[in-house]
Amino acid sequence: MSEIIELNREIEKLQGAEDLFFACYSDDVPQNGGVCVKYKNEQIAIFNFTRRGEWYATQNMCPHKQQMALSRGMIGSSGEECEPKVACPFHKKSFSLKTGDCLTGEDYKIRIFPVIINNGKVFIEVKSIG
Amino acid sequence: MTKKNVIVIGNGMVGHKFCEKLIAKSNEFQIIVFGEEPRIAYDRVHLSSYFDGKTVEDLSLSSLDWYHQNNIQLYLGDAVTEVNRTEKIVHTQSGRTQNYDYLVMATGSAPFVPNIPGVEKEGVFVYRTIEDLDKMKAHASKCKTGAVMGGGLLGLEAGKALLDLGIKETHIVEFASRLMPRQIDDAGSKLLQGKLAQLNLTVHLNKNTSAVLGEKKITGLAFADGSELALDMLVISAGIRPRDEIARLCGLEVSSRGGIVVNGFMQTSDESIFAIGECALFNSMIYGLVAPGYEMAEVAASFLCEGDKQFKGFDMSTKLKLIGVDVASFGDAFISEPDCTSIIFEDTHKGIYKRINITSDGKQLLGGILIGDAEAYNMLLQTVNNKIVLPPNPEDLILGARGGESTVGASVMGLPDDALICSCEAVSKGAICNAVINQDLKTFDEVKKCTKAGSGCGGCVPMVKDLINGTLTENGMYIKNVLCEHFDYSRQELLDLIKMNKIETYDQVLDTFGKGDGCEVCKPAVASILASLWNDLILKQDTIQDSNDRFLANIQKGGTYSVVPRIPGGEITPDKLIVIGQVAKEFNLYTKITGGQRIDLFGAHLVDLPAIWSKLIDAGFESGHAYGKSLRTVKSCVGSTWCRFGLHDSVSFAIEIEDRYKGLRSPHKLKGGVSGCIRECAEAKSKDFGIIATEKGWNLYICGNGGSKPQHAELLASDIDSETCIKYLDRFLMFYVRTADPLTRTATWLNKMEGGMAYLKNVIINDSLGIAEELEEAMRYHISTYACEWKAAIENPEMRKRFSHFINAPEEKDPSVKFETMRDQVKAETW
Ligand code: SRM
Ligand SMILES: Cc1cc2nc3c(=O)[nH]c(=O)nc-3n(C[C@H](O)[C@H](O)[C@H](O)COP(=O)(O)OP(=O)(O)OC[C@H]3O[C@@H](n4cnc5c(N)ncnc54)[C@H](O)[C@@H]3O)c2cc1C
Ligand code: SF4
Ligand code: FES
């Protein structure tokens, strides 16, 4: 653990800004699945969409019942356009990983964050988080 | 050209429907809507589901966006207070004024509150809006006893709502001498009363309330007969009162009993003003249901577009929803001899009452009442509405055909094209079938989107589905029960393909047979197939598993998990009991004896699961697979070892069988039971397989189910020895695993099987398909490869690592998890 924290400090220094947050190593995240990372007092879900060679990050909280659960949801795609999505494990509400829009017909919206993979490390752009 | 202004007063269900209809027909109108409620139109019909988890958003019929996109001006929280008919202007509460060319009153109705002394007291509520429900909810937490005044359709629904709010003692107080006086007869009411009593709803009939008791807050009701009832809260559901205030003020013709008088075009006495929905009085009648309201919206909208549709009255057939007892009445429910012949079937034991009224010549169905079992409602209603000629033995309509092939319950395909299937959206059979054929639709969702059928109260959904399948079959199209948008195969087809091609991973399956990137429907379904075929460790492909399987535990409110060790046959040693107690104490878990004869430990943090399981495994426990679609429990009674009636040792046999099939992944969960004699203390016949001891051996029953649609298991073989019993079970279970659709329990699987039990018997006992040996071999393979997946998980550091909440702070627990205390144990915080 202390290593990860140390690395965090190092990267923070390196970046000269707190904008890019080192979340974890890319092999910490299961293939085609998600994990949750702690950033200050926030919880962020990171998804390793191996099948598409893509990474996504969203808020971990499902807006439906305010459950910290999206990182434990199943990812997949929907529609002709193959919109990448995650389904909450609780009641299967689905959200676009690209836009954060709810795909199951409700007005919910989740926050999404850009992900940068560098040298086997996963960084999240956290500008918008206070 | 300037558009004509249409003002709609009221943004309720019918007002909203009117906007939809008018927009669809023409763009020559500027629609302006004033709504008194603070929110956009919502589904009042399903209001009660607000108490079991539906949110305001779930209930909304539309969105602000929709109004915006269609250029409709919507003013919410602003009631119209005055209509100036000479200048054609309305005034609103907030001071807005707006001129109109046409005015549509869709003001609905208000709950009728009788003028009884004390109704203004705290703790008295009505049941109509979301705000009403919020207030009830806030008050209910302090209440033990509640009552509903009014035993009609809505009153009973409100009664159920009080139960759902946790009020254990709930009463229904009715003025008349029976429940639902407008829908059902005395005999039906009696039966219904019995059913309600089982739900904990106590019914008081012939009760004339004289006062609401209490100082500031309600403490009870006093009745004219001198009796009293102590209460903490009261919901009044004594009928509705049409909202005709502004119509009255501006001098439109209204009825003395309430309601704005309209003609067949929904026009009021002022030809540029219309009234629709519950505020409108047509032919001296207020229609307090949503379907006729929608029809009125259609008529008024089409009139504005120069159509000539007329409202011709509406069928008031209804089915009570939500309450847990089927109640329906249709057509002319009360007509009696000598104007007709009534056939009545009553089974007080099962709580079923059915009455049908048919013409004296026996040719046509006029109406009827169904209580306890309303499955035939849709078909019967169609039979009345379409004047379908009855079969020679009309009693079959309610009894089902006895002996021989079933001839009635005639399929929906036999209905005429103009038969109204979805009355909320006025969609006919023809429209649905045409949509299927002409627009190449295959799924219910597609048809719903295209025709809107099934988007209202949902009562017609089963019929719409049957129509889709029927139409496809008639047109020679092979109906595929496809898994989801990513696979054009049924589960059974996919299983065969995967087996033949020996595929072991989801990705390979998707690449070879599917398209896209998969989803939450096909991933767990394929995971289940792979597990059934190869019995490989679930955690090897953890991200295709449903959340419960992924973490080998059931997810709970708040995001914690439950732990259910296997306790085969319900037998447990004191030492093991002590270990469960110690583990629960150490990890602060809530413990409860389950309905499946074992112990569930709730509230475990994800991070703690491996440690909890290592202690349990050290003490000799194994995973109970409570999270999996797999064998749960084989319940036992104590049997011949102790019981004076016991014929054989049911506990030993239950343990043997539970150990045999543990870990077997299947389309849905599996449960079994073994009873030591016919008294059946293990409730074996309510399980997927049940074994009951006889003098000569065992009777084996299969395909039973508890749950929401209970069904008793049927006899497969009698007086067989243990070995034969196990052989049949092996074949039965494997056959089910191979052929059932995802999430289909054995009972449903059997119900859908062509040839039914006779066919299944033939397959299992007579090996009619010649696959018995293969099925047995598959079961042997399963048994020889079984391993406790929890043991594997804790012994493998890679797998163990996955049980963390924060990947970058693996020791930390999820700080958002909150517990409350109740009876000295923890409980999840309410959401
Ligand atoms: C714990 C328990 C209730 C209790 O406190 O007694 C329970 C709890 C749950 N049941 Fe159950 N059922 C429990 C006994 C039953 C029984 C009684 C029995 O087994 O004798 C039934 C009726 C019998 C039957 O299955 O036919 C039962 C019928 C259901 C159903 C309806 C199944 C159906 O075919 O209609 C569901 C829903 C489902 O599986 O899709 C369900 C689903 C659930 C779930 C898994 C809901 C969920 O997905 O979160 C609950 C999770 C509990 C948890 O978090 O651990 N539970 N459930 C019981 C656990 C028994 C055990 O030791 O494994
Ligand atoms: C709990 C419950 C369960 C029900 N179950 C069923 C069922 O199972 N099946 C069924 O068919 N029906 C059911 N109903 C009845 C159904 O909801 C109504 O028939 C339907 O909502 C009527 O629609 P409406 O638009 O006429 O009235 P409403 O939906 O009441 O809408 C009228 C709207 O107009 C507003 N309004 C009134 N006056 C003014 C004004 N002056 N200015 C602006 N706005 C105004 C009101 O605030 C309201 O929002 C149920 C009703 C309830 C309450
Ligand atoms: S335990 Fe079973 S019956 Fe009880 S609330 Fe959960 S799913 Fe429903
Ligand atoms: S909490 Fe996520 S869908 Fe309900």
Side-chain angles (χ1 to χ4, degrees):
Chain A
M1 187 54 225
S2 52
E3 293 156 358
I4 298 188
I5 298 174
E6 226 167 79
L7 232 148
N8 262 281
R9 297 284 114 56
E10 199 187 309
I11 305 279
E12 272 167 31
K13 251 184 256 155
L14 269 177
Q15 301 290 325
E18 291 193 355
D19 255 2
L20 226 42
F21 164 65
F22 167 67
C24 58
Y25 293 95
S26 45
D27 54 13
D28 284 339
V29 190
Q31 299 209 341
N32 294 305
V35 294
C36 166
V37 295
K38 184 178 163 128
Y39 170 71
K40 296 187 179 166
N41 287 326
E42 301 273 341
Q43 301 195 11
I44 300 175
I46 300 176
F47 301 98
N48 176 5
F49 214 140
T50 330
R51 191 181 164 77
R52 299 163 60 111
E54 291 164 3
W55 286 79
Y56 295 98
T58 70
Q59 69 185 52
N60 193 32
M61 189 184 73
C62 173
H64 176 228
K65 292 281 177 192
Q66 281 76 49
Q67 300 289 300
M68 290 297 184
L70 292 180
S71 61
R72 300 180 204 171
M74 252 182 272
I75 57 176
S77 70
S78 125
E80 291 291 305
E81 310 286 313
C82 277
E83 184 82 359
K85 63 166 191 173
V86 59
C88 173
F90 276 95
H91 312 98
K92 303 276 153 73
K93 310 250 181 226
S94 299
F95 304 92
S96 160
L97 291 171
K98 276 199 169 140
T99 62
D101 287 341
C102 180
L103 302 175
T104 35
E106 283 101 336
D107 276 341
Y108 303 122
K109 180 129 188 155
I110 58 171
R111 287 198 296 176
I112 51 164
F113 309 100
V115 180
I116 294 168
I117 307 293
N118 185 293
N119 249 329
K121 292 178 194 147
V122 184
F123 301 87
I124 303 172
E125 223 179 280
V126 289
K127 266 206 291 283
S128 48
I129 304 182
Chain B
M1 190 187 85
T2 55
K3 292 187 172 188
K4 292 203 161 157
N5 278 352
V6 178
I7 293 186
V8 182
I9 309 183
N11 189 229
M13 296 190 77
V14 175
H16 170 68
K17 179 57 63 179
F18 173 81
C19 295
E20 272 184 17
K21 297 268 184 194
L22 192 58
I23 285 294
K25 289 182 201 297
S26 159
N27 54 12
E28 284 173 25
F29 299 98
Q30 171 62 52
I31 308 180
I32 305 142
V33 181
F34 291 101
E36 171 193 65
E37 288 187 69
R39 60 187 91 248
I40 196 151
Y42 53 88
D43 184 355
R44 214 179 291 289
V45 170
H46 293 103
L47 194 60
S48 296
S49 57
Y50 189 59
F51 285 145
D52 49 52
K54 283 266 165 64
T55 59
V56 174
E57 295 85 73
D58 294 336
L59 289 173
S60 270
L61 293 175
S62 176
S63 63
L64 290 177
D65 243 22
W66 183 85
Y67 277 82
H68 189 71
Q69 276 160 17
N70 288 294
N71 197 24
I72 299 174
Q73 292 174 31
L74 176 65
Y75 300 98
L76 292 174
D78 197 7
V80 169
T81 47
E82 192 190 331
V83 178
N84 181 332
R85 286 167 51 202
T86 29
E87 297 191 23
K88 289 195 159 185
I89 287 178
V90 303
H91 298 272
T92 75
Q93 203 168 23
S94 72
R96 288 197 178 91
T97 56
Q98 176 71 52
N99 69 302
Y100 67 84
D101 297 293
Y102 296 106
L103 181 65
V104 178
M105 298 198 172
T107 48
S109 66
F112 168 66
V113 180
N115 202 355
I116 296 169
V119 282
E120 72 293 340
K121 291 197 194 335
E122 231 178 88
V124 182
F125 303 89
V126 292
Y127 198 67
R128 176 104 195 156
T129 65
I130 288 184
E131 283 68 28
D132 293 337
L133 268 64
D134 281 335
K135 285 183 210 148
M136 279 170 63
K137 213 179 202 166
H139 185 86
S141 55
K142 298 168 283 187
C143 298
K144 289 207 176 63
T145 321
V148 178
M149 186 187 293
L153 204 68
L154 253 170
L156 295 185
E157 209 180 302
K160 173 69 169 30
L162 287 183
L163 291 179
D164 286 347
L165 281 173
I167 299 191
K168 298 242 161 49
E169 203 192 318
T170 297
H171 302 263
I172 306 275
V173 177
E174 168 60 48
F175 178 72
S177 60
R178 63 166 185 261
L179 290 168
M180 299 177 64
R182 276 194 256 167
Q183 286 89 12
I184 65 178
D185 57 12
D186 283 330
S189 167
K190 240 187 227 126
L191 205 121
L192 178 56
Q193 230 176 303
K195 287 252 163 189
L196 295 178
Q198 287 169 9
L199 295 172
N200 259 338
L201 280 174
T202 317
V203 175
H204 309 264
L205 299 174
N206 298 310
K207 283 285 182 195
N208 187 359
T209 309
S210 55
V212 177
L213 306 174
E215 288 279 299
K216 238 175 86 204
K217 256 172 57 186
I218 179 170
T219 57
L221 289 180
F223 302 109
D225 61 11
S227 60
E228 288 187 3
L229 180 65
L231 292 177
D232 304 316
M233 79 185 275
L234 173 71
V235 179
I236 298 185
S237 174
I240 55 172
R241 188 159 254 184
R243 298 278 307 265
D244 57 8
E245 325 85 89
I246 41 175
R248 273 171 203 273
L249 286 171
C250 70
L252 293 178
E253 187 187 344
V254 290
S255 154
S256 56
R257 287 177 20 246
I260 309 167
V261 178
V262 293
N263 62 18
F265 299 112
M266 310 323 293
Q267 254 171 335
T268 65
S269 55
D270 177 332
E271 60 180 26
S272 47
I273 303 184
F274 299 76
I276 56 178
E278 284 189 343
C279 63
L281 187 82
F282 174 77
N283 251 343
S284 310
M285 171 119 175
I286 293 286
Y287 290 83
L289 293 174
V290 72
Y294 280 4
E295 173 70 11
M296 293 177 182
E298 164 69 24
V299 169
S302 92
F303 184 81
L304 289 186
C305 303
E306 269 132 50
D308 56 1
K309 253 188 213 159
Q310 289 218 36
F311 186 76
K312 299 198 179 78
F314 210 87
D315 179 58
M316 292 296 275
S317 304
T318 38
K319 199 168 156 194
L320 182 63
K321 53 186 195 295
L322 290 169
I323 187 114
V325 184
D326 276 1
V327 181
S329 84
F330 55 94
D332 198 338
F334 292 116
I335 184 171
S336 60
E337 280 157 25
D339 300 324
C340 73
T341 311
S342 295
I343 302 176
I344 293 175
F345 166 77
E346 190 168 359
D347 178 344
T348 39
H349 177 63
K350 286 201 185 126
I352 295 177
Y353 173 82
K354 298 180 182 180
R355 160 175 173 176
I356 50 172
N357 307 320
I358 58 179
T359 49
S360 308
D361 61 5
K363 291 234 165 75
Q364 262 161 27
L365 181 63
L366 298 169
I369 296 167
L370 302 171
I371 293 168
D373 171 13
E375 219 168 274
Y377 169 73
N378 276 324
M379 251 344 262
L380 291 176
L381 179 59
Q382 291 292 344
T383 308
V384 174
N385 289 351
N386 297 295
K387 304 208 164 49
I388 293 175
V389 178
L390 293 179
N393 300 316
E395 63 273 19
D396 289 355
L397 290 175
I398 48 177
L399 298 177
R402 286 135 301 126
E405 289 298 287
S406 141
T407 49
V408 283
S411 105
V412 284
M413 294 310 288
L415 294 172
D417 269 358
D418 57 0
L420 195 61
I421 302 293
C422 170
S423 44
C424 294
E425 295 287 343
V427 189
S428 66
K429 177 194 159 197
I432 293 169
C433 298
N434 283 339
V436 171
I437 297 168
N438 298 336
Q439 311 202 30
D440 198 19
L441 308 182
K442 295 205 174 56
T443 66
F444 170 70
D445 282 338
E446 289 170 349
V447 171
K448 174 169 156 189
K449 212 174 195 171
C450 168
T451 63
K452 289 204 136 188
S455 58
C457 72
C460 62
V461 175
M463 275 192 149
V464 177
K465 287 188 175 162
D466 285 350
L467 276 176
I468 299 171
N469 286 345
T471 313
L472 290 173
T473 320
E474 273 187 1
N475 284 278
M477 271 180 264
Y478 171 52
I479 323 158
K480 275 203 155 169
N481 234 336
V482 301
L483 222 49
C484 69
E485 60 172 292
H486 304 106
F487 286 97
D488 271 333
Y489 297 101
S490 70
R491 179 181 181 276
Q492 185 178 350
E493 288 170 327
L494 205 55
L495 183 142
D496 289 339
L497 287 170
I498 295 173
K499 188 164 154 242
M500 256 162 13
N501 293 281
K502 301 207 166 49
I503 302 185
E504 290 179 14
T505 69
Y506 172 80
D507 269 338
Q508 266 175 290
V509 176
L510 186 58
D511 289 339
T512 325
F513 304 115
K515 53 175 187 272
D517 305 304
C519 67
E520 70 282 4
V521 175
C522 58
K523 284 185 175 181
V526 171
S528 155
I529 293 175
L530 292 172
S532 298
L533 285 176
W534 318 125
N535 205 17
D536 210 356
L537 270 183
I538 288 288
L539 285 192
K540 281 206 187 149
Q541 294 180 65
D542 64 331
T543 56
I544 58 167
Q545 312 291 342
D546 238 324
S547 173
N548 286 353
D549 269 314
R550 179 169 174 196
F551 296 107
L552 304 177
N554 285 335
I555 193 165
Q556 243 94 77
K557 276 186 178 176
T560 61
Y561 288 85
S562 71
V563 172
V564 190
R566 188 166 292 290
I567 302 181
E571 182 184 85
I572 186 164
T573 60
D575 280 338
K576 280 187 161 175
L577 270 177
I578 289 169
V579 172
I580 289 190
Q582 283 165 340
V583 168
K585 262 187 148 166
E586 180 177 346
F587 295 93
N588 194 26
L589 307 174
Y590 166 80
T591 54
K592 177 178 183 302
I593 311 279
T594 71
Q597 285 189 339
R598 43 191 193 173
I599 300 171
D600 201 343
L601 307 161
F602 295 87
H605 280 273
L606 190 58
V607 190
D608 288 339
L609 285 176
I612 292 173
W613 274 104
S614 27
K615 299 209 169 188
L616 291 171
I617 285 167
D618 282 348
F621 285 104
E622 286 184 305
S623 166
H625 300 97
Y627 44 80
K629 299 291 172 235
S630 54
L631 181 81
R632 297 288 167 86
T633 63
V634 179
K635 226 172 134 168
S636 75
C637 72
V638 61
S640 60
T641 48
W642 293 92
C643 175
R644 63 193 165 122
F645 294 119
L647 295 171
H648 310 305
D649 181 359
S650 49
V651 180
S652 297
F653 202 34
I655 294 174
E656 182 183 345
I657 288 179
E658 185 161 339
D659 275 336
R660 185 172 183 86
Y661 302 124
K662 65 189 173 193
L664 175 68
R665 301 276 156 169
S666 42
H668 205 316
K669 61 192 177 195
L670 285 167
K671 298 178 179 181
V674 183
S675 280
C677 82
I678 194 67
R679 288 169 191 75
E680 244 283 72
C681 299
E683 302 172 300
K685 278 167 84 178
S686 66
K687 308 292 181 210
D688 299 274
F689 56 89
I691 301 166
I692 302 176
T694 66
E695 298 282 352
K696 299 189 197 123
W698 306 101
N699 280 356
L700 174 58
Y701 298 82
I702 55 171
C703 301
N705 203 156
S708 58
K709 257 193 127 217
Q711 179 170 330
H712 271 153
E714 290 181 44
L715 186 65
L716 177 74
S718 39
D719 295 326
I720 48 177
D721 58 18
S722 305
E723 211 180 311
T724 314
C725 185
I726 286 177
K727 183 169 77 183
Y728 288 170
L729 272 177
D730 282 359
R731 295 177 182 179
F732 158 63
L733 291 175
M734 263 306 161
F735 189 50
Y736 164 68
V737 164
R738 292 277 159 97
T739 59
D741 280 332
L743 301 181
T744 305
R745 285 289 288 273
T746 53
T748 323
W749 171 66
L750 174 65
N751 295 345
K752 284 190 186 163
M753 190 178 293
E754 236 169 86
M757 195 60 191
Y759 171 78
L760 192 53
K761 249 190 202 164
N762 230 350
V763 173
I764 298 173
I765 299 179
N766 304 330
D767 192 15
S768 58
L769 298 180
I771 53 170
E773 177 49 36
E774 189 198 331
L775 296 175
E776 286 172 38
E777 177 51 38
M779 191 60 85
R780 276 194 290 275
Y781 177 76
H782 160 78
I783 295 164
S784 68
T785 49
Y786 168 83
C788 169
E789 50 209 23
W790 259 114
K791 187 153 185 277
I794 54 178
E795 284 173 354
N796 177 327
E798 263 309 302
M799 289 186 186
R800 210 176 161 135
K801 188 177 140 193
R802 298 187 199 143
F803 294 86
S804 65
H805 183 70
F806 293 118
I807 191 76
N808 60 344
E811 284 90 40
E812 267 182 60
K813 297 181 178 172
D814 178 359
S816 73
V817 170
K818 301 254 159 43
F819 294 117
E820 291 165 0
T821 344
M822 191 167 148
R823 289 184 295 276
D824 303 327
Q825 296 205 67
V826 288
K827 102 183 214 329
E829 204 181 38
T830 354
W831 64 18

